[in-house]
Amino acid sequence: MKKKYLIVTYGCQMNVHESEKIAGILRSRGYEECKDEKEADIIVFNTCCIRENAENHAYGNIGALKKLKRGNPGLLIAVGGCMTQQEGAAERLRKKFPFVDIVFGTHNLDSLGELLDRKAGSKKAVVDIWGKEGEIREDDYSFRTSYPNAWVNIMYGCNNFCSYCIVPYVRGRERSRAPEKISEEVDRLIDGGYKEITLLGQNVNSYGNDREGECSFPQLLRRLCRREDKFRLRFMTSNPKDFGEELVRAIAECPQICHLVHLPVQAGSDRILKLMNRKYTAAEYLRKVELLRKYVPDCQLTTDIMVGFPTETEEDFRATLSLVREAGFSTAFTFVYSRRSGTAAAKMEGQIPESVQKERIMRLVELVNEQTREKSACYRGRTIEILCEDYDEKKGLYLGRDEYGRMGYFRSEKNRIGEFVRLKIGETSGVSLMGEPAD
């Protein structure tokens, strides 16, 4: 009987892909996935510390396993990811949860198999947190679960040190993968039938800066788009300070690159942007939006926006609302500032009361939702192409996104997952579209 694993993932899409790597390592050692923690032989927590609620959620779920571990001493519990990479976090975790068997960090995720071997030969917990970034390991153990979509890391770490962000402290400095290794991985995925590839990095625009000009990010995109196969290419995330004309031209000239760009602005106030250490002004950001739409007129834009940053005034917040209106975002991911120890912003005076943060986020969400509904309404009566990616059993509908990120739902008598489907749109609701196959 095969041993079974359960992976609990928190945080961003990068963490989701890293969980695919963890799954691949476990499967290479004879494990198979299960959904019930009571059936598992090993439970792995892939944590995130970008926002405090994700960290608290992880702590709560780990603590809830104490009783299960007592009744099943052979159960292995492993905790890795950003949360453990924080200074002193591994020691605090072991003290709070002595029943945890393995603790590892972001820099040595690929060593999980070796840590399992060490644990097998010892009754003591194995704690292995690399203090510095190691060399990039190119072994691809990933057990991919998101067909027809696939995620490909092109770089790791971040050099930007935004004042609210802990990523540089837990994921280290920027390290770019060799372009030929990325090309080989993308080629394998496309040859394997994957139709949409998303390139991942904390700031993909910085790709190659640490490789002495060997290959820039726009050059990498052109390299990946040399194939004539029908597939989509996306990327995230882009820092506006490094977003320029060479990249915009690549988007315009490579047909595989989706005309949807995620360009986090975070705030519309120059004063707040400076405190955030974002290294651009609102006017500079809007000029980049103008440049993008000059070369790619149909391009849609999504963003991240944070409200309630320390010392944010009503005037600062209104500047953000003004930028949202002018930029015309397709949609936006909105957040309330979360104080993270270890960051520069956590030490700032003028922390905003929760009641003010809540009132502002509600006003922002109302504006974003209004713009999103308006853009969705333009789809009525149009025929679009979506990549069918899943089936919703409860609704009895297939679903998939167009290149601009809008989710379309439709009925079909046959399985359409993995196919490009032309869809005649009848109804719209928020970011969702309802239609009928036109092919």
Side-chain angles (χ1 to χ4, degrees), residues 145-158:
T145 57
S146 54
Y147 176 84
N149 305 313
W151 315 92
V152 175
N153 283 106
I154 65 170
M155 61 189 300
Y156 302 90
C158 184

Side-chain angles (χ1 to χ4, degrees), residues 287-306:
R287 282 197 291 271
K288 292 173 188 286
V289 173
E290 184 180 355
L291 177 69
L292 177 63
R293 288 177 173 155
K294 173 184 175 182
Y295 285 99
V296 194
D298 67 320
C299 194
Q300 296 293 313
L301 195 67
T302 61
T303 195
D304 294 341
I305 305 173
M306 182 185 300

Side-chain angles (χ1 to χ4, degrees), residues 142-377:
S142 301
F143 175 64
R144 299 184 182 272
T145 57
S146 54
Y147 176 84
N149 305 313
W151 315 92
V152 175
N153 283 106
I154 65 170
M155 61 189 300
Y156 302 90
C158 184
N159 292 352
N160 289 320
F161 288 92
C162 298
S163 63
Y164 53 81
C165 184
I166 201 165
V167 166
Y169 304 98
V170 296
R171 289 192 175 270
R173 304 294 79 76
E174 291 175 353
R175 292 101 66 210
S176 302
R177 293 178 63 195
E180 62 270 16
K181 294 297 183 181
I182 298 170
S183 294
E184 290 170 5
E185 183 175 353
V186 170
D187 284 343
R188 286 196 303 271
L189 290 166
I190 296 172
D191 290 341
Y194 286 86
K195 303 295 197 309
E196 183 169 298
I197 312 296
T198 302
L199 307 179
L200 299 176
Q202 297 298 333
N203 176 21
V204 291
N205 300 341
S206 295
Y207 172 81
N209 287 354
D210 58 321
R211 299 184 67 89
E212 300 181 350
E214 176 185 356
C215 179
S216 68
F217 182 54
Q219 289 170 339
L220 176 67
L221 291 176
R222 292 182 184 278
R223 177 174 182 155
L224 298 178
C225 291
R226 73 195 186 283
R227 299 181 58 137
E228 296 183 359
D229 310 61
K230 183 170 184 177
F231 69 95
R232 291 177 179 170
L233 191 65
R234 301 187 190 272
F235 56 85
M236 61 185 309
T237 295
S238 287
N239 190 307
K241 73 180 180 64
D242 302 311
F243 190 86
E245 185 170 340
E246 186 185 359
L247 175 54
V248 171
R249 285 183 178 274
I251 296 171
E253 295 167 10
C254 298
Q256 297 94 334
I257 300 177
C258 292
H259 288 184
L260 174 70
V261 173
H262 186 65
L263 196 63
V265 66
Q266 301 300 354
S269 160
D270 289 347
R271 188 181 72 83
I272 294 297
L273 287 170
K274 186 174 182 179
L275 287 175
M276 288 179 168
N277 195 33
R278 292 293 286 177
K279 299 183 175 67
Y280 55 83
T281 65
E284 289 169 343
Y285 180 91
L286 290 170
R287 282 197 291 271
K288 292 173 188 286
V289 173
E290 184 180 355
L291 177 69
L292 177 63
R293 288 177 173 155
K294 173 184 175 182
Y295 285 99
V296 194
D298 67 320
C299 194
Q300 296 293 313
L301 195 67
T302 61
T303 195
D304 294 341
I305 305 173
M306 182 185 300
V307 303
F309 189 80
T311 76
E312 181 188 69
T313 65
E314 176 65 18
E315 183 180 0
D316 292 323
F317 177 66
R318 288 180 179 175
T320 295
L321 295 180
S322 176
L323 185 143
V324 170
R325 294 187 186 97
E326 188 167 352
F329 297 114
S330 174
T331 190
F333 302 92
T334 57
F335 310 93
V336 169
Y337 165 73
S338 175
R339 196 172 189 171
R340 303 305 294 130
S341 60
T343 65
K347 303 172 186 177
M348 292 180 181
E349 296 181 357
Q351 300 288 326
I352 304 300
E354 184 178 345
S355 59
V356 176
Q357 290 182 325
K358 184 177 179 180
E359 189 269 341
R360 288 177 182 167
I361 193 71
M362 290 176 68
R363 287 160 62 192
L364 175 61
V365 168
E366 183 179 1
L367 173 59
V368 169
N369 287 346
E370 178 185 340
Q371 291 184 334
T372 299
R373 286 191 296 268
E374 289 175 358
K375 290 187 178 294
S376 290

Side-chain angles (χ1 to χ4, degrees), residues 393-411:
E393 293 187 359
K394 290 184 178 179
K395 296 180 179 179
L397 299 172
Y398 285 92
L399 58 129
R401 299 181 188 276
D402 71 353
E403 71 166 301
Y404 307 103
R406 283 290 190 271
M407 184 69 77
Y409 292 85
F410 66 98
R411 299 187 185 279

